[in-house]
Amino acid sequence: MNKLQLFKKMDKSHITFFAIAVVLFWLKTYAAYQIEFNLGIDNTLQKFLLLINPLSSALFFFGLALLFKKRFKLVLIVTNFFLSFLLYANIAYYRFFNDFITVPVLMQTKTNAGQLGDSALSLMSPLDIFYFTDFFVLIALALTAFKQITVTSKNTFKIVILFAITTFLFNLGLAEKDRPQLLTRSFDRNYLVKYLGAYNFTIYDAIQNIRSSSQRALADSSDVTDVENYRKANYAEPNPDYFGKAKGMNVIYISMESLQTFMIDYKMPDGQEVTPFLNSLTRDKNTFYFKNFFHQTGQGKTSDAEFLMENSLYPMAQGAVFVNKAQNTYQAMPAILKGQGYSSAVFHGNYKTFWNRNVIYKAFGYDQFFDAEYYSMTDENTKNYGLKDKPFFTESMPMLKSLKQPFYTKMITLSNHFPFEMDPEDTDFPAGDFGDTVVDQYFQSSHYMDHALEQFFNDLKASGLYENTVVVMYGDHYGISENHNDAMAQVLGVEEITPALNAKLQRVPLFIHVPGVDGGIQEQFGGEVDVRPTVLHLLGIDTKDYLEFGSDLLSKNHRNWALFRNGDFVSPEVVQVKGKCYGTETGELLENSDTCKSIEEKVNSELQMSDEVVYKDLLRFYQPDGYKAINPNDYEYLGPKMNKGSKASTSN
């Protein structure tokens, strides 16, 4: 074989190797879409788009390897590995969160590294090696059949990139036909992945993240006007029957990790109640129990719930405010109550850097932060995420009693966290029997948390604080995701979990105990954003001048619906999920519902207005009457020296 013949063979070989890499990667990605993701494919066009959307990404990213002539194989294989890792990371993330990884989430992972071990491992399977099969095949081919190949011309690169761009534009055109304004209106990442693919979504997300970072720099005080007008038009006046009834009382918020409302009054087959203490509070004369209360968290989960409850603003569509917008100006509950003579503190059996709390709590105006350094973090007292609930409440009481009254505090529980596995010595309560380990263990961990809460209430009574303290307990976010719907159908005794029923499963308990005030079971619909105005009005502080988006749950003018961060919503009459409208009670699909259209317009406006405030940091341009701004630099959470025998996190 002469040199010319060898050159021609080598020239064709690199195209063959490239084609094999593209096809294997394309088919693997499509298989992952079908196996791992629930993208809501509704028609033939969407099926076609799902099939072709990995192609443009594979052509583009692998095509870049053609620029590296002699190192073409190495660059292509390395590119394959990184794209495969991104796909698998999305798969593992989706298995619990039913969501896709964004650039801000990667920042959160860096912040929270080292504390996610058990949860991450529980989402993996030995069969997942399949998602790296093509990577190993390419290595084998590169060392054998395609050992002697190189790229000699850039013409192939130009043709491939042109084909990649053409394929993407064709894909985008069809997607826009099925979902107009896809890139400008969608709050739901499922739509973007369904229509454009996981890899193109990552590029889109990176661009959006850069754009959101620049919004603050371009904002000015004039941007506040629209938000202020919207707020005034949607303000719900306090109910005179309750306004000021808790004036001057202490306030304790308790975040009930991952607790969903279906657990309230749920009984095991032997008749045992899962949450007997919380069940008793639904009948307590001084407790408001909101049975149609919904979490509204995004990718920030527990931190998003905190943000909603204390700022009455919605979390970010991508990432978490606690990490990505910690330097913003806020007018949070601790700062508002500081003007009323309140001291403030947070109690949390994890380390202060988790979710960047040691930074953003200063922006909220918290005086003290009792983190893991204040607790006995021994092996028997801790789980992966920190201190177990019972020792947490026990050790918190002396610190709580030491606070200057009146105080505003927040206590964050940890035990009822995915994957809900309990140490045998901590429970004798039976697990569920629904063929799903995560769901089965959820009953045990929820029961443990219920016992810990009862213990805390008893300690609060013994301390003398109970009769002068408002206690607000809320489920922060869902515990059981859609990936466990088969088991959940058994739990609820239904044939299947329909979209409308799944929306209703996003209910989390809200209890507001107010000494001396008649409470009762509340039927109205609402969400976490509504809690701040409700509590402030109970304390006698009118919120009409604050830029917030909550509606007082006890107001006679309370709006009776709750939105989700992705733009879905729920009301007593209708539920909208992924653009489709259903009857709340019947679950039947409703065509052309005027009620859905009316609420959808309000939901889109609400999210847009809140995003204006958060992304542009508009509160730096606005100060309500009577509010005294705080300086985050005035706060420092140094903590005591670590207790002997305590278990510190290596990541912190």
Side-chain angles (χ1 to χ4, degrees):
M1 183 182 297
N2 60 39
K3 289 185 178 181
L4 180 60
Q5 290 174 319
L6 179 61
F7 170 78
K8 289 181 177 180
K9 182 178 179 182
M10 290 169 62
D11 196 45
K12 293 179 180 178
S13 294
H14 80 271
I15 297 175
T16 304
F17 186 74
F18 176 83
I20 291 172
V22 168
V23 170
L24 288 177
F25 188 78
W26 179 11
L27 294 176
K28 175 187 72 176
T29 303
Y30 181 69
Y33 287 170
Q34 295 288 358
I35 296 168
E36 302 287 354
F37 304 136
N38 179 22
L39 298 174
I41 305 301
D42 296 321
N43 54 47
T44 302
L45 177 57
Q46 290 179 9
K47 291 178 181 177
F48 177 68
L49 289 172
L50 194 71
L51 173 64
I52 69 166
N53 71 42
L55 180 58
S56 62
S57 303
L59 288 169
F60 180 80
F61 288 111
F62 290 170
L64 295 177
L66 293 166
L67 290 172
F68 300 84
K69 296 181 179 180
K70 293 183 178 180
R71 297 185 177 181
F72 160 67
K73 290 187 298 180
L74 175 62
V75 173
L76 189 148
I77 290 171
V78 170
T79 302
N80 176 281
F81 175 78
F82 280 110
L83 290 177
S84 298
F85 184 81
L86 175 63
L87 176 65
Y88 182 63
N90 270 305
I91 288 169
Y93 190 79
Y94 194 91
R95 285 172 181 171
F96 178 60
F97 293 110
N98 277 93
D99 201 352
F100 296 92
I101 292 175
T102 62
V103 171
V105 163
L106 295 177
M107 294 171 64
Q108 293 164 204
T109 303
K110 181 180 179 181
T111 303
N112 297 340
Q115 309 215 17
L116 308 173
D118 289 349
S119 294
L121 288 173
S122 68
L123 299 171
M124 299 178 182
S125 163
L127 295 177
D128 291 345
I129 193 67
F130 162 76
Y131 295 113
F132 294 90
T133 302
D134 59 328
F135 169 71
F136 295 114
V137 169
L138 291 178
I139 291 176
L141 290 175
L143 295 175
T144 55
F146 294 90
K147 191 172 184 178
Q148 298 294 327
I149 62 170
T150 188
V151 179
T152 57
S153 170
K154 289 186 178 181
N155 289 334
T156 307
F157 166 75
K158 294 176 182 178
I159 294 170
V160 167
I161 295 301
L162 179 62
F163 188 34
I165 294 172
T166 303
T167 304
F168 173 75
L169 293 176
F170 174 67
N171 184 163
L172 181 61
L174 290 178
E176 283 283 344
K177 180 181 178 182
D178 196 61
R179 174 73 176 179
Q181 296 177 290
L182 173 67
L183 299 181
T184 56
R185 289 185 59 211
S186 178
F187 294 114
D188 191 339
R189 283 170 287 279
N190 265 318
Y191 279 121
L192 295 168
V193 174
K194 174 168 66 175
Y195 287 113
L196 301 180
Y199 313 104
N200 289 331
F201 162 72
T202 299
I203 296 173
Y204 168 83
D205 172 58
I207 294 170
Q208 288 295 96
N209 193 55
I210 294 169
R211 177 174 170 269
S212 72
S213 298
S214 66
Q215 283 179 305
R216 185 184 188 280
L218 299 175
D220 59 45
S221 57
S222 65
D223 292 323
V224 177
T225 304
D226 287 343
V227 179
E228 193 174 0
N229 291 337
Y230 175 86
R231 165 62 179 152
K232 289 178 179 177
N234 291 276
Y235 167 66
E237 294 182 354
N239 187 329
D241 294 338
Y242 299 111
F243 186 76
K245 293 297 183 182
K247 188 175 181 64
M249 289 187 182
N250 302 314
V251 180
I252 299 175
Y253 274 53
I254 301 176
S255 171
M256 300 185 292
E257 173 65 43
S258 300
L259 189 66
Q260 290 173 247
T261 297
F262 75 86
M263 277 298 188
I264 304 299
D265 286 328
Y266 193 94
K267 292 183 179 180
M268 303 299 284
D270 62 1
Q272 289 192 76
E273 295 177 296
V274 180
T275 58
F277 173 66
L278 292 178
N279 297 348
S280 71
L281 286 184
T282 67
R283 302 182 291 274
D284 181 84
K285 67 177 183 178
N286 298 136
T287 301
F288 296 93
Y289 168 57
F290 297 86
K291 62 185 297 185
N292 292 308
F293 179 77
F294 294 80
H295 83 84
Q296 297 172 303
T297 61
Q299 292 185 316
K301 296 303 182 238
T302 298
S303 72
D304 279 357
E306 293 183 61
F307 181 70
L308 279 152
M309 300 284 284
E310 296 189 306
N311 294 276
S312 198
L313 298 169
Y314 294 103
M316 298 170 66
Q318 296 159 219
V321 172
F322 271 42
V323 175
N324 304 104
K325 299 296 180 181
Q327 304 302 327
N328 278 13
T329 297
Y330 296 105
Q331 293 157 6
M333 284 282 282
I336 293 171
L337 291 178
K338 189 179 296 297
Q340 305 295 319
Y342 278 70
S343 64
S344 57
V346 181
F347 300 85
H348 186 37
N350 202 331
Y351 291 88
K352 61 170 64 81
T353 54
F354 196 67
W355 279 123
N356 202 34
R357 287 184 171 104
N358 61 318
V359 175
I360 201 163
Y361 282 170
K362 296 175 185 178
F364 288 178
Y366 274 109
D367 295 324
Q368 297 186 67
F369 182 10
F370 298 102
D371 77 325
E373 294 186 9
Y374 288 83
Y375 295 93
S376 177
M377 304 292 284
T378 58
D379 288 339
E380 62 270 20
N381 279 357
T382 55
K383 295 181 71 172
N384 188 48
Y385 282 83
L387 199 66
K388 296 175 183 177
D389 292 348
K390 289 184 179 180
F392 167 65
F393 283 122
T394 297
E395 295 185 31
S396 296
M397 278 306 301
M399 293 181 281
L400 181 67
K401 288 191 292 184
S402 72
L403 297 178
K404 173 183 169 291
Q405 297 188 54
F407 56 67
Y408 169 84
T409 65
K410 176 169 57 181
M411 311 185 87
I412 304 171
T413 65
L414 290 167
S415 293
N416 194 41
H417 198 290
F418 180 87
F420 312 112
E421 185 177 4
M422 295 293 298
D423 291 333
E425 64 271 15
D426 288 328
T427 183
D428 58 1
F429 193 77
D433 186 20
F434 301 101
D436 185 315
T437 302
V438 169
V439 175
D440 292 345
Q441 292 175 163
Y442 187 61
F443 292 89
Q444 292 178 307
S445 58
S446 296
H447 182 76
Y448 173 85
M449 180 171 63
D450 183 77
H451 264 217
L453 291 168
E454 181 178 23
Q455 166 199 305
F456 175 69
F457 265 64
N458 290 335
D459 290 343
L460 202 60
K461 292 174 182 177
S463 72
L465 294 171
Y466 183 77
E467 294 301 328
N468 191 43
T469 300
V470 175
V471 182
V472 180
M473 297 191 295
Y474 65 97
D476 57 352
H477 54 76
Y478 66 78
I480 307 299
S481 73
E482 292 180 59
N483 296 322
H484 305 278
N485 273 357
D486 288 344
M488 282 304 299
Q490 296 181 55
V491 170
L492 301 179
V494 297
E495 266 189 43
E496 64 172 334
I497 304 297
T498 62
L501 180 53
N502 185 69
K504 288 193 285 186
L505 274 173
Q506 305 314 305
R507 290 183 302 168
V508 292
L510 173 65
F511 298 88
I512 302 179
H513 175 81
V514 188
V517 177
D518 290 337
I521 296 176
Q522 307 293 304
E523 301 285 344
Q524 61 267 43
F525 280 54
E528 289 167 330
V529 75
D530 299 323
V531 175
R532 188 177 93 164
T534 306
V535 174
L536 286 176
H537 288 172
L538 283 166
L539 296 174
I541 302 169
D542 200 327
T543 63
K544 66 179 184 297
D545 291 327
Y546 285 91
L547 294 187
E548 62 181 16
F549 294 90
S551 167
D552 182 349
L553 291 162
L554 298 175
S555 170
K556 295 175 181 178
N557 299 317
H558 170 66
R559 63 175 179 217
N560 209 18
W561 49 264
L563 64 80
F564 300 114
R565 180 56 259 199
N566 65 0
D568 293 344
F569 57 82
V570 60
S571 77
E573 297 83 24
V574 293
V575 174
Q576 184 158 300
V577 180
K578 296 181 180 179
K580 294 184 178 180
C581 186
Y582 303 87
T584 301
E585 293 302 321
T586 64
E588 294 179 1
L589 184 64
L590 305 177
E591 299 290 347
N592 301 315
S593 167
D594 290 337
T595 305
C596 262
K597 291 177 183 176
S598 174
I599 298 177
E600 183 180 23
E601 290 178 5
K602 296 173 184 175
V603 165
N604 289 337
S605 295
E606 186 105 342
L607 287 172
Q608 180 185 348
M609 289 290 112
S610 181
D611 285 349
E612 288 278 305
V613 174
V614 174
Y615 285 93
K616 294 184 177 181
D617 190 14
L618 294 186
L619 291 180
R620 64 193 156 126
F621 303 123
Y622 180 83
Q623 186 161 315
D625 290 341
Y627 173 78
K628 185 178 180 181
I630 58 102
N631 181 358
N633 295 325
D634 291 342
Y635 304 94
E636 198 65 51
Y637 309 129
L638 298 176
K641 292 183 178 180
M642 295 293 290
N643 295 324
K644 186 177 181 180
S646 63
K647 184 173 67 175
S649 167
T650 56
S651 68
N652 295 293

